[in-house]
Amino acid sequence: MLSKEQTLKVAAELLKHRPLRLSSLAQRAGWSRFYLRRRFREVVGESPAGFQQRLNLEQAALRLQQTDESVLSIALACGYESHEVFTRAFRRQFSCTPRAYRKRVCGTTWHDARRHARVVHQVGPCIGLYHTTMDSKRKTAVPTSEIKQIDLQTRPVLLIQRRVPHAQLQPLFAECFPKLYGYCMQHGCEMAGNPIARYVEFTPGMATVDCIIPLQSAAEGDGEIEAGALQAGPAAFATHSGPYDTLNETYSVVEAWLTEHNLEQNGPNWEWYVTDPSEEPDPAQWKTEVYFPVKAK
């Protein structure tokens, strides 16, 4: 069976060689097209063709936001043969035409356009893969960086809060992160970085979690998508190295460090997913920043 690590490598291959036909990709991977398509959808949540098309349309949306290029030029640059085909695909993805989208977001005041573009380029491909569990059961030592106390500045965010059993955390993130990211893309919200999971309450059986996309400037929510902020003030900080399955080891180390330094936690902790799984398929290389707000002495 094709492992999740191997499937992530396939996604990385798609990113490097767009556009790439499914037959060519299957031949490079050594699997049948049917099996590759089925396993890719199971892990990534999209078919290879749907994955490529979404990324192309997101790049088109970015260019509509940040450049004065004509719609036709953007369509051709993003792999579409005509204005009409591009417009139909764009409408299906964003519920409006490219011209209407540009008009909607043309008043956006950019605080850091390059950072927003980086999020679209790097986070978009793996938006449904953060906190995914791996197939491998091997045990390896997981290093934790030096723990230190830092001062955080407040940052606006958009979030979805849910209460779920522990076993449903990864499906929750796979659902909510793409929903938040898609909302930001559709409404021209200026994103500031990779997704964040904030643990509001963690009981033996259940967890109340905020799924978060950080922003450069405040934006309005809609329905279950709420506007909020990351907490400012002192916090204990560490970087976890390795797969998400082993994050509890870093949490234990940070909690012991708080006790040793007579610090009291002051609000929910969160994890910021630094590494993009589709760009770095090896879970051993993944980095996750961990933050524990603490009371000032």
Side-chain angles (χ1 to χ4, degrees), residues 26-42:
Q27 185 176 16
R28 293 165 74 105
W31 308 302
S32 71
R33 288 182 297 172
F34 175 79
Y35 178 70
L36 176 61
R37 185 188 296 112
R38 179 170 63 83
R39 184 58 177 160
F40 192 95
R41 184 183 287 278
E42 287 175 357

Side-chain angles (χ1 to χ4, degrees), residues 112-159:
D112 191 340
R114 288 185 179 181
R115 176 178 287 190
H116 175 80
R118 185 200 68 81
V119 174
V120 176
H121 287 303
Q122 297 183 6
V123 176
C126 53
I127 191 62
L129 298 173
Y130 292 102
H131 212 287
T132 188
T133 56
M134 290 292 105
D135 302 318
S136 174
K137 302 298 182 184
R138 64 182 181 275
K139 297 293 184 180
T140 57
V142 178
T144 300
S145 70
E146 178 186 358
I147 303 168
K148 56 185 177 182
Q149 185 172 327
I150 60 174
D151 287 314
L152 298 172
Q153 301 297 315
T154 188
R155 178 177 291 281
V157 303
L158 287 173
L159 64 94

Side-chain angles (χ1 to χ4, degrees), residues 57 60-61 64-65 70-72 74-75 83-84 86-91 94-105:
L57 290 170
L64 286 166
Q65 284 179 299
S70 70
V71 173
L72 179 58
I74 292 173
H83 184 288
E84 291 74 18
F86 171 65
T87 297
R88 286 197 299 269
F90 194 93
R91 188 194 292 273
F94 293 100
S95 302
C96 65
T97 66
R99 293 186 188 282
Y101 182 85
R102 173 171 270 169
K103 185 176 180 180
R104 177 194 299 171
V105 302

Side-chain angles (χ1 to χ4, degrees), residues 46 108 129 139 211 232 250:
E46 304 169 276
T108 301
L129 298 173
K139 297 293 184 180
C211 302
T250 292

Side-chain angles (χ1 to χ4, degrees), residues 253-264:
V253 172
V254 175
E255 288 167 353
W257 185 88
L258 294 178
T259 300
E260 179 184 348
H261 290 79
N262 297 314
L263 292 171
E264 185 177 349

